[in-house]
């Protein structure tokens, strides 16, 4: 398989659902979270987390793999996982609304990197989001507002009709607007 992702200094933006046990069914602790004192320690944590995710994927535990990656609060680790899994594989497991909301929030956080992959995941995940679900309803407006702002921030580059991600950006933006109503 591919080598584990290189460690990144900044952690992913904290989700509104970051309290333990709130990552949906199958969520569990993970040694990948937290800051390391040195890059060697961070690289080991990244490698260990990647191996754990590969094992979960090998057992077909896609939702647990995503919950683990989200709990690790590493956008890099989550991006790596998304690059290894087709969205339909996760969505077939009917993941919790909490997990889907956290996934949408994290993927939209930094659309400047792995843009095509993140937009693909947002395009597949947003239609499964139920903004009226009682578990997420109070958080959805703020999250969708953040997602819309992050998408708008990409329009300078992706707004050009000739850009390969242009149509996907428009589709994702339309979905976010519709969900926000």
């Amino acid at each position: 398989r591919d080598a584990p992702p290189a460690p990144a200094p900044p952690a992913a933006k904290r989700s509104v659902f970051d309290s333990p046990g709130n990552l949906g069914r199958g969520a569990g602790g993970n040694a990948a979270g937290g800051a390391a004192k040195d890059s060697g320690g961070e690289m080991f944590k990244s490698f260990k987390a990647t191996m754990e995710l590969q094992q979960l994927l090998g057992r077909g535990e896609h939702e647990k793999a995503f919950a683990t990656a989200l709990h690790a609060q590493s956008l890099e680790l989550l991006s790596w996982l998304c690059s290894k899994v087709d969205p339909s594989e996760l969505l077939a497991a009917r993941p919790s609304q909490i997990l889907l909301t956290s996934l949408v929030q994290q993927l939209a956080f930094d659309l400047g990197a792995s843009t095509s992959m993140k937009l693909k995941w947002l395009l597949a995940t947003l239609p499964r989001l139920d903004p009226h679900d009682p578990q997420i309803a109070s958080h959805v407006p703020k999250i969708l507002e953040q997602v819309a702002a992050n998408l708008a921030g990409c329009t300078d580059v992706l707004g050009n009709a000739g850009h390969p991600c242009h149509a996907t950006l428009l589709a994702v933006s339309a979905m976010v607007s519709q969900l926000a109503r």
Side-chain angles (χ1 to χ4, degrees):
R1 302 274 300 182
D2 295 345
K13 184 175 180 183
R14 292 188 64 89
S15 168
V16 295
F17 302 108
D18 281 342
S19 61
N22 276 350
L23 290 175
R25 294 173 285 135
N30 183 347
K37 291 182 181 176
D38 60 66
S39 62
E42 187 63 31
M43 187 177 295
F44 176 74
K45 286 181 179 185
S46 179
F47 176 75
K48 184 176 177 183
T50 303
M51 295 307 296
E52 180 181 357
L53 295 178
Q54 286 181 333
Q55 289 173 352
L56 290 168
L57 292 177
R59 294 193 303 258
E61 297 181 50
H62 292 86
E63 184 173 4
K64 189 170 184 180
F66 276 87
T68 300
L70 288 164
H71 188 74
Q73 299 177 359
S74 167
L75 185 55
E76 185 175 82
L77 187 63
L78 179 62
S79 294
W80 176 86
L81 180 60
C82 287
S83 74
K84 301 298 174 200
V85 177
D86 187 84
S88 64
E89 294 178 82
L90 173 65
L91 297 174
R94 297 187 170 278
S96 71
Q97 289 294 306
I98 292 171
L99 187 135
L100 290 176
T101 305
S102 294
L103 182 59
V104 165
Q105 182 184 36
Q106 293 302 309
L107 288 175
F109 177 67
D110 176 15
L111 291 168
S114 305
T115 306
S116 178
M117 180 270 302
K118 289 176 182 176
L119 288 174
K120 172 182 149 184
W121 269 88
L122 289 169
L123 190 63
T125 306
L126 283 166
R128 300 290 184 97
L129 200 61
D130 177 5
H132 305 293
D133 183 292
Q135 290 183 307
I136 63 169
S138 65
H139 302 287
V140 168
K142 183 170 177 65
I143 290 170
L144 291 176
E145 183 180 310
Q146 291 170 346
V147 171
N150 292 346
L151 290 167
C154 293
T155 56
D156 287 348
V157 175
L158 305 179
N160 177 346
H163 194 283
C165 294
H166 178 73
T168 309
L169 174 70
L170 293 178
V172 170
S173 295
M175 282 184 201
V176 170
S177 294
Q178 186 176 13
L179 286 168
R181 291 182 194 165

